[in-house]
């Protein structure tokens, strides 16, 4: 659905986005990651037509992205933009009509989503009377009222308690199943692993990683294995071809060690050693989490 080709954006002489290329497939969830100041928000603003690239292009269904695509896009920025003196319902009707909905359609959608997010009793309240979490719900509703085909969410879980964060997460999954293409940026790596099909990490304006979640994690596998033992005694000696990387005890005082081998063909020998000498009760590959991969990428980029 979205293709970003060699995108550049400058603020004076500073290059905020430096030769960024991405492909976001229709009906997928794409994670845009990076540390603060990496250039994520600038990229999202270009994808939502708020601003334009200085070089390169963005294609929406194989044609250059322009203002005519605005009705098909929903954008929830990290810095929320709501009118504090307006009532909830008036605010949502206003945003819905801005996106092209007729008044009757807008009323129907507003009522549906206020009920769905359990905030219908606050419909006539002014925004300034709402808690931060409630205001976040209104911001989310305003972004999806017009049923966008491409949804951009910048830190969508910010300000939500765990219950409401899970609710929004479920809605994102539901929207994806309904055919919505979603790009979201977050610092919550657990949400990235749970929700995203693909991701990209940008750092200092440059793309440093791009790929499917499982493929990215698998590419960081380094012949390390977690071995769980019934005993809590640390093995006196590993085979000479294995290296001890980590040791920890579970809440039941079972021992877990992380071991790296030189040759993956030595895995069976490692299992045999653990079974024969140390009462092994579990053995599994250690594949780095997205949190660890993110930290490593940012540190080394």
């Amino acid at each position: 659905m979205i293709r970003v080709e060699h995108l550049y954006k400058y603020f004076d002489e500073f290059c905020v986005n430096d030769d960024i290329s991405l492909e976001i497939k229709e009906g997928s969830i794409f994670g845009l990651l990076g540390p603060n100041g990496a250039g994520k928000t600038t990229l999202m603003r270009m994808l939502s037509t708020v601003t334009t690239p200085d070089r390169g292009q963005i294609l929406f269904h194989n044609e250059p992205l322009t203002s005519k695509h605005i009705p098909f896009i929903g954008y929830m920025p990290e810095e929320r933009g709501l009118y504090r003196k307006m009532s909830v319902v008036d605010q949502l009707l206003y945003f819905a009509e801005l996106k092209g909905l007729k008044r009757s359609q807008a009323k129907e959608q507003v009522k549906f989503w206020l009920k769905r997010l359990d905030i219908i009793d606050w419909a006539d309240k002014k925004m300034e009377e709402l808690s931060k979490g409630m205001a976040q719900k209104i911001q989310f509703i305003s972004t999806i009222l017009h049923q966008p085909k491409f949804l951009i969410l910048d830190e969508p879980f910010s300000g939500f308690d765990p219950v409401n964060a899970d609710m929004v997460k479920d809605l994102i999954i539901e929207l994806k199943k309904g055919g919505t293409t979603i790009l979201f940026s977050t610092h919550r790596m657990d949400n990235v692993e749970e929700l995203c099909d693909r991701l990209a990490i940008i750092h200092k304006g440059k793309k440093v990683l791009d790929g499917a979640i499982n493929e990215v994690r698998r590419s960081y596998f380094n012949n390390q294995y977690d071995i769980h033992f019934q005993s809590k005694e640390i093995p006196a000696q590993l085979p000479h071809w294995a290296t001890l990387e980590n040791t920890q005890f579970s809440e039941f005082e079972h021992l877990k060690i992380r071991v790296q081998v030189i040759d993956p063909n030595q895995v069976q020998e490692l299992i045999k050693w653990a079974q024969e000498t140390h009462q092994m009760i579990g053995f599994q590959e250690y594949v780095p989490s997205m949190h660890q991969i993110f930290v490593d990428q940012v540190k080394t980029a």
Side-chain angles (χ1 to χ4, degrees), residues 31-32 35 57 64 87 101 115 125 130 133 141 143 147-148 194 223 230 236 264 272:
L32 182 63
Q57 67 174 346
S87 72
L101 269 66
K115 286 185 175 180
K125 300 289 185 181
L130 272 60
I141 292 172
T143 307
Q147 300 175 315
E194 184 177 357
N223 297 326
Q230 182 70 43
K272 183 179 179 181

Side-chain angles (χ1 to χ4, degrees), residues 50-147:
V50 172
T51 187
T52 56
D54 292 316
R55 290 164 53 192
Q57 67 174 346
I58 301 171
L59 300 178
F60 188 99
H61 282 308
N62 295 317
E63 62 180 32
L65 179 69
T66 65
S67 59
K68 76 176 185 179
H69 296 113
I70 290 176
F72 305 104
I73 300 172
Y75 175 42
M76 186 171 81
E78 182 178 10
E79 297 297 327
R80 314 306 191 209
L82 298 171
Y83 299 101
R84 292 179 55 78
K85 298 296 182 181
M86 287 181 72
S87 72
V88 167
V89 68
D90 286 343
Q91 183 131 208
L92 290 175
L93 288 172
Y94 171 69
F95 283 123
E97 290 177 311
L98 276 181
K99 287 293 186 176
L101 269 66
K102 295 180 180 178
R103 189 75 174 185
S104 58
Q105 293 175 306
K107 287 182 177 180
E108 184 179 319
Q109 286 295 308
V110 168
K111 184 177 180 180
F112 172 82
W113 284 109
L114 287 175
K115 286 185 175 180
R116 181 68 187 275
L117 272 70
D118 194 26
I119 199 169
I120 189 71
D121 292 340
W122 293 78
D124 296 321
K125 300 289 185 181
K126 291 184 178 180
M127 289 302 306
E128 62 186 2
E129 298 178 65
L130 272 60
S131 68
K132 183 177 180 180
M134 288 180 177
Q136 295 288 67
K137 286 185 180 182
I138 301 307
Q139 186 79 61
F140 187 81
I141 292 172
S142 71
T143 307
I144 61 175
L145 270 173
H146 61 296
Q147 300 175 315

Side-chain angles (χ1 to χ4, degrees), residues 246-263:
N246 187 280
T247 301
Q248 68 182 64
F249 293 95
S250 73
E251 58 181 311
F252 303 108
E253 294 192 339
H254 293 162
L255 172 67
K256 182 182 82 172
I257 65 173
R258 182 165 298 151
V259 174
Q260 184 173 27
V261 298
I262 298 171
D263 185 345

Side-chain angles (χ1 to χ4, degrees), residues 251-301:
E251 58 181 311
F252 303 108
E253 294 192 339
H254 293 162
L255 172 67
K256 182 182 82 172
I257 65 173
R258 182 165 298 151
V259 174
Q260 184 173 27
V261 298
I262 298 171
D263 185 345
N265 293 323
Q266 295 167 325
V267 172
Q268 291 303 318
E269 294 180 61
L270 182 62
I271 294 174
K272 183 179 179 181
W273 166 83
Q275 287 175 328
E276 291 180 349
T277 60
H278 297 289
Q279 296 178 297
M280 184 184 77
I281 58 175
F283 187 95
Q284 65 192 83
E285 293 179 336
Y286 168 69
V287 181
S289 66
M290 280 311 308
H291 174 86
Q292 187 59 53
I293 293 169
F294 177 87
V295 171
D296 289 346
Q297 280 290 331
V298 170
K299 281 184 176 179
T300 58

